[in-house]
Amino acid sequence: AEGAELFARQCLSSVVNPKQDVEPGYWVVYMWKQLMGTRVHNASQAQGPGPALPQPLRAYCHSTSTGTRLTVLIVNINDQAVAVDLVLPTGVALPAVRTEFHFGQNSTTDAITINGVVPEFTDNGAGRPEVPGSTRSTTEALIVEARSFVFATFDLAAHD
């Protein structure tokens, strides 16, 4: 999958704001590398009893090589928000909480936001920026705003 990271960065950056002068790719790649892991899982859209999810909606699912964290990336390039119920792969127990990283756009400055905050490069002592996630119960639907994407992580080690 040579070039996959560049492709993902360009695609995800253009979802948030295709006309943005400053490329937000750094934050997309940084979060991808921090969260997505190396093991790839099938991510599909099952139709439940409610109305069909709008298209195009994309989902990706990766886990760490040790299987201690699973991350689902949902991309919504629609002009309306979507509520998504996440079901983990067969054999993976659902932990009580998940951590979400919502990428969007600041309505006044057009800057990229993560969980509603414009990210800044502040060193956390380990030479990496710190990006706090938002913790939610896994029983809640995951809301993906219009023209945005969300990384949702599940700490599987804490569930054992």
Side-chain angles (χ1 to χ4, degrees):
E2 189 172 297
E5 287 183 18
L6 175 62
F7 173 76
R9 177 182 62 83
Q10 290 172 338
C11 289
L12 296 177
S13 295
S14 67
V15 165
V16 174
N17 185 358
K19 298 178 182 122
Q20 187 167 345
D21 293 334
V22 178
E23 184 67 36
Y26 170 81
W27 296 106
V28 174
V29 170
Y30 177 77
M31 295 303 288
W32 181 283
K33 286 185 158 285
Q34 293 298 307
L35 301 174
M36 287 304 278
T38 56
R39 294 170 68 187
V40 180
H41 301 274
N42 182 34
S44 60
Q45 178 177 317
Q47 182 56 46
L53 293 176
Q55 294 295 328
L57 189 70
R58 303 288 181 258
Y60 305 89
C61 183
H62 291 219
S63 65
T64 57
S65 59
T66 59
T68 56
R69 185 185 66 236
L70 184 113
T71 301
V72 177
L73 169 62
I74 308 276
V75 181
N76 181 8
I77 60 175
N78 297 288
D79 290 329
Q80 61 186 14
V82 176
V84 178
D85 289 315
L86 297 175
V87 178
L88 296 187
T90 304
V92 178
L94 189 66
V97 296
R98 66 176 177 257
T99 304
E100 299 176 1
F101 300 88
H102 292 259
F103 275 69
Q105 177 184 3
N106 181 294
S107 58
T108 353
T109 66
D110 288 339
I112 193 168
T113 62
I114 302 175
N115 291 337
V117 177
V118 176
E120 295 180 9
F121 191 87
T122 53
D123 193 341
N124 65 359
R128 296 184 306 268
E130 190 158 336
V131 181
S134 172
T135 303
R136 299 272 188 266
S137 167
T138 53
T139 59
E140 297 177 47
L142 175 66
I143 306 299
V144 187
E145 295 298 331
R147 299 193 59 75
S148 70
F149 55 96
V150 178
F151 290 95
T153 65
F154 299 86
D155 183 358
L156 304 178
H159 187 66
D160 293 339

